[in-house]
Amino acid sequence: MAEAEQPERLRRDREVTVDDIRQLVASATPHFSYQIRNRIRKLVAGLPTDHPVRVYAEAEIGKLERLGFTGEVRGTPNEDGIGPLASVSDHEQPRYLPGATKG
């Protein structure tokens, strides 16, 4: 998964919507959660901190960061033979990690 965005979403005359954020988050897996997080950050960077879409996006960014660190379970947790997908660490907590998008 790349961090490149759909050109339609980047048009200057188009406002970012909650549906844009939902579409990005819907397919998140532990392995791609940070790329999706970065795409969302870029989309909402120009919005005021109290804008409803920005507030929603920040909440979803928090979920993506937790997903990247804690993984996910396929099926129900009590099914034999189905364990959690790999993650950074079961005991690690999300934190800022410097990178190309500057967090």
Side-chain angles (χ1 to χ4, degrees):
M1 169 164 295
E3 289 187 27
E5 192 50 72
Q6 294 177 7
E8 177 66 23
R9 284 196 183 118
L10 297 176
R11 283 191 6 235
R12 293 191 185 271
D13 62 336
R14 183 181 179 281
E15 188 172 339
V16 180
T17 67
V18 169
D19 283 341
D20 291 328
I21 308 305
R22 287 181 180 147
Q23 288 173 12
L24 289 169
V25 173
S27 61
T29 65
H31 294 85
F32 297 115
S33 62
Y34 298 115
Q35 289 97 333
I36 295 170
R37 174 202 62 190
N38 293 345
R39 288 173 67 184
I40 292 171
R41 280 190 175 147
K42 287 178 189 177
L43 281 177
V44 301
L47 298 176
T49 56
D50 62 343
H51 190 285
V53 174
R54 177 98 182 239
V55 171
Y56 179 76
E58 294 295 338
E60 294 301 303
I61 286 170
K63 291 177 187 176
L64 290 167
E65 289 178 341
R66 287 188 297 277
L67 177 63
F69 276 88
T70 61
E72 68 179 351
V73 174
R74 297 291 171 103
T76 57
N78 59 354
E79 285 184 61
D80 291 334
I82 300 179
L85 297 177
S87 62
V88 175
S89 169
D90 289 338
H91 305 290
E92 189 76 35
Q93 292 299 310
R95 64 186 185 282
Y96 171 74
L97 298 172
T101 60
K102 298 180 182 171

